């Protein structure tokens, strides 16, 4: 839940805390490879040989909302790109550190050339260095440094941290390989997001400020986005305006009046 790394008063993103969480959860997921149960022998073998992980995040839509940053904007895309690059780069750097201690995944050596090329391409995208891409028919969209500007709280420090993570991921991976063939996968987090206290799901924006979730048995569950109020305050609306907007969006929750 990315909201856990935002200070609502200053709207500062805890870069160091996020990096630490990425490292910790990469190690937790690596341990889980040996503890998991698999539906077939073939899937179990591939999981053991390639040790693929699924580190991801949720609630990025809410994080942008409470900071007063449009989801569909240059700065919104730059922030999402930097956070995703930081998470993935830090995770691969951690994977390389684990490979130093325990050896790379079983399929690494036969895939070494191609995997290092993929890592270099990711690093090039973090630096928005189109000339550095290797073997790509369609170039990815790099992170535009100019989009950050002086925006608070998401300064260029976030991008510098992401670039540093990819520098370490490539350097350590070249030396030791990687413990995991894949480390990240941003899931939709549709239901578990509710348990994680998220107002939005994985990387998606909120599709409605008030939603109705159909229950497995019968009936519906009304879900109101709790981030609307702090977002309106951060956008500069007065207390009266915030109250009127919330009443318009959520209703009065009463038949009275």
């Amino acid at each position: 839940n990315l909201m856990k790394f935002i200070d609502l008063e200053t709207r500062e993103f805890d870069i160091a805390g996020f990096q630490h969480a990425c490292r910790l959860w990469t190690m937790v997921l690596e341990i889980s490879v040996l503890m998991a149960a698999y539906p077939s022998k073939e899937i179990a073998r591939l999981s053991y040989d390639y040790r693929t992980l699924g580190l991801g995040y949720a609630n990025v839509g809410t994080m942008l909302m409470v900071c007063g940053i449009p989801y569909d904007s240059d700065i919104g895309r730059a922030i999402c790109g930097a956070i995703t690059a930081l998470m993935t780069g830090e995770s691969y750097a951690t994977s390389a550190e684990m490979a130093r201690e325990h050896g790379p995944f079983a399929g690494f050596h036969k895939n070494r050339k191609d995997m290092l090329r993929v890592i270099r391409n990711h690093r090039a995208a973090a630096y928005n260095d189109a000339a550095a891409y290797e073997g790509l028919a369609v170039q990815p969209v790099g992170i535009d440094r100019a989009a950050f500007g002086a925006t608070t709280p998401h300064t260029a420090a976030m991008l510098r941290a992401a670039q540093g993570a990819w520098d370490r991921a490539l350097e350590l991976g070249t030396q030791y390989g990687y413990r995991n063939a894949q480390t990240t996968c941003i899931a939709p987090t549709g239901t578990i997001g509710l348990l994680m206290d998220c107002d939005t799901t994985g990387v998606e924006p909120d599709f409605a400020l008030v939603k109705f979730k159909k229950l497995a048995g019968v009936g519906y569950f009304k879900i109101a986005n709790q981030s609307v109020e702090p977002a309106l305050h951060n956008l500069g609306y007065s207390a009266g305006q915030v109250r009127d907007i919330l009443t318009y969006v959520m209703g009065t929750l009463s038949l009275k009046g």
Side-chain angles (χ1 to χ4, degrees), residues 20-168:
H20 178 72
C22 291
R23 291 176 58 82
L24 178 63
W25 278 102
T26 298
M27 289 185 277
V28 169
L29 291 171
E30 159 61 21
I31 294 170
S32 74
V33 170
L34 291 178
M35 299 172 62
Y38 301 96
S40 70
K41 180 179 179 180
E42 179 64 15
I43 292 175
R45 186 184 65 80
L46 290 173
S47 297
Y48 184 78
D49 287 348
Y50 291 92
R51 311 186 75 81
T52 52
L53 310 182
L55 178 66
Y57 59 66
N59 221 19
V60 69
T62 297
M63 189 198 76
L64 293 174
M65 183 185 294
V66 298
C67 292
I69 297 172
Y71 186 92
D72 185 15
S73 65
D74 290 340
I75 181 61
R77 283 183 285 272
I79 289 169
C80 288
I83 288 177
T84 308
L86 178 56
M87 176 183 70
T88 310
E90 196 67 46
S91 184
Y92 273 113
T94 304
S95 182
E97 291 174 347
M98 291 191 292
R100 179 178 58 196
E101 302 298 326
H102 302 287
F105 66 90
F108 173 72
H109 294 294
K110 66 179 180 181
N111 292 285
R112 174 187 172 87
K113 179 180 177 181
D114 290 317
M115 184 163 185
L116 288 176
R117 176 177 60 83
V118 170
I119 297 294
R120 288 193 297 270
N121 281 333
H122 275 288
R123 179 181 178 275
Y127 280 93
N128 199 19
D129 185 2
Y133 292 134
E134 305 173 40
L136 296 178
V138 178
Q139 290 191 355
V141 178
I143 305 173
D144 184 6
R145 178 192 297 269
F148 286 86
T151 303
T152 301
H154 307 283
T155 65
M158 185 182 290
L159 179 57
R160 289 196 300 271
Q163 292 168 341
W166 279 108
D167 289 341
R168 287 185 290 107

Side-chain angles (χ1 to χ4, degrees), residues 200-215:
T200 60
T201 54
V203 75
E204 302 90 346
D206 203 4
F207 67 86
L209 298 181
V210 178
K211 299 173 282 292
F212 292 89
K213 182 176 178 63
K214 188 174 183 180
L215 301 178

